Amino acid sequence: MTSSDQPLSSEPLSGENPEDAATIDTFQTIARQLRSCNVKFLRVAWCDTANVIRAKAAYVPRLEGVFKDGVALCVGNQALPVMYDAVTAGSGLGPLGDLRLMPDWDTLRILPYASGHASVMSNMYTNEGQPSNLCPRNFLRRMIAEASASGVCLKAAFENEFYLLRQPSNGADLVPVDDTTFCMTYAMDINHDVITDICHSLTAQGIVLEQYHAESGNGQHEISIVYSDAMKAADQQIVFRETVKAVAHKHQMVACFLPKIFPNQAGSGTHIHLSLHTRDGTNLVPSETENGSLSPVASHFVAGVLEHLPGLMAITAPTPNSYRRLQPSTWSGAYKAWGYENKECALRVPLNPRGPSPTHFELKTNDATANPYFALGAILAAGLDGVHRKLPLSPPLQIDPGQLSDDERFERNIQRVPTCLEESLGALSSDMVLLEALSPALSQAYLAVKHAEWKAMNKLTLDEEVKLLVNRY
């Protein structure tokens, strides 16, 4: 064994105060865990502004430096669009200055699909040790704190749909692995091995599964997981995407979360299920006086989300491809409305077979091209604005809005959600609640990146979009 391959030291960190027992114990515990699992590389991961999951892998025998100082990352990396690795003009970022990626050791996981590798999510700090406003996790953390100060704790779960694809031997375009449709048991049989492997890999990383079924598109699947607090839910969305794509690759398949891959097949959403709780865990969603109705707090929160929905969708549906999915009569939530168990509304409130009911609500205008930290943070900002202003909630829509005439929709103030990214970006640019929540630096970088993506991709055909993005999402 060469000197560079020496195992991790169990001695106190050099330069640390020997009395800092907590720091020493944490490092020693991590060192022992990684040694026992024969981990050679630790991926220090982050999810960037364009929702590309990235990492720098630290060689584990040299972990001490990462533990103390994190990993350096040029600040300009938070202004990379999805198309290429070049800093976006107008983002306010460039080649000067570094961020420090500091591991959040509570997120450490051994990767069951990548022998010798572990991964940990990171928070971004300045070289001066201050949390960076460009960090997606720091943004969500700030919004969680604001909600907590108002007596609200958000719990969430991302409900992912994805396609399993194969590359034909002749090099033609990717095709679905099968031609099955919604909930066919044959789809489960055909894809038994890969889905089982995916589920085992998820549970090995601490993800608690809830349900699985084949979806409407050929080769399309949905695996739902149990809800958790907002930060953990966003972290688990990263784990989910990484795991599904990696395991599918081991099975000679391509997993793709793009909102729209095939023109005549169902789109893939990533609906977000949300519930509001007190600090002691009491669910705030159901009315205390009328079973089957929303509480005043939940009503105000939903009203806030709906009011800010046009700008919010620049964050939850952040690519040109997103809007190919959001069409009427496709259960994608194409109308700015809410309703009990109404799948055509952007915001659906499911009812429970027994009380209390309802206990959560679902935002349908989200997909897997959305950075989950940005999405949950922006939802909190919008909903809290509704709570603080006590916004009234319109009556629930209990009919398919697509079956109403234009005049009837006008009378009920039912509008289409934005129909393209340019439209939602325009709404975000004028939504001061969301912009102030993001912070000036983050909103400038985000808007610059998304305008660059719109400019680069808005004239692409669907096939061109898929070829560009299939390995990104």
Side-chain angles (χ1 to χ4, degrees), residues 163 176 180-181 216-220 259-268:
Y163 275 83
T180 60
T181 56
S216 297
N218 299 163
Q220 189 184 31
K260 196 70 172 178
I261 303 175
F262 304 108
N264 299 317
Q265 295 281 348
S268 291

Side-chain angles (χ1 to χ4, degrees), residues 328-329 333-338 342-346 397-406 408-409 412 414-416:
S329 302
Y335 290 93
K336 184 187 170 189
W338 78 282
N342 191 337
K343 291 180 179 291
E344 279 297 307
C345 292
L397 183 64
Q398 299 306 115
I399 189 174
D400 180 352
Q403 295 180 355
L404 299 174
S405 67
D406 290 343
E408 288 172 321
R409 284 195 292 270
R412 299 187 185 208
I414 299 169
Q415 305 163 16
R416 280 279 274 116

Side-chain angles (χ1 to χ4, degrees), residues 47 51 158 237 241 315-318 366-373 375 473:
C47 185
N51 193 34
F158 290 81
Q237 174 65 0
R241 279 178 54 205
I315 296 171
T316 63
N366 186 83
D367 61 60
T369 66
N371 181 306
Y373 306 101
Y473 305 117

Side-chain angles (χ1 to χ4, degrees), residues 433-454:
V433 169
L434 295 181
L435 293 180
E436 289 175 6
L438 287 166
S439 81
L442 182 54
S443 61
Q444 180 180 353
Y446 187 86
L447 285 168
V449 167
K450 291 302 165 181
H451 277 296
E453 291 179 355
W454 165 256

Side-chain angles (χ1 to χ4, degrees), residues 31 34 64 110 141 170 180 194 199 212 281 301 334 345-346 357 362-363 376 409 414 430 445 450:
L34 296 178
E64 181 177 327
I110 310 301
R141 187 175 292 106
N170 62 4
T180 60
V194 63
C199 292
Y212 154 64
F301 193 98
C345 292
S357 178
E362 174 191 26
L363 182 67
L376 288 182
R409 284 195 292 270
I414 299 169
S430 61
K450 291 302 165 181

Side-chain angles (χ1 to χ4, degrees), residues 59-77:
Y59 189 48
V60 167
R62 298 303 183 192
L63 186 63
E64 181 177 327
V66 174
F67 191 89
K68 290 193 297 184
D69 298 321
V71 175
L73 179 73
C74 178
V75 68
N77 283 283

Side-chain angles (χ1 to χ4, degrees), residues 10-13 16-32 67 105-106:
S10 296
E11 298 302 317
L13 297 174
E16 292 285 350
N17 186 337
E19 296 178 359
D20 191 359
T23 299
I24 296 170
D25 287 347
T26 300
F27 177 75
Q28 291 178 339
T29 299
I30 293 166
R32 285 193 296 268
F67 191 89
W105 296 109
D106 289 338

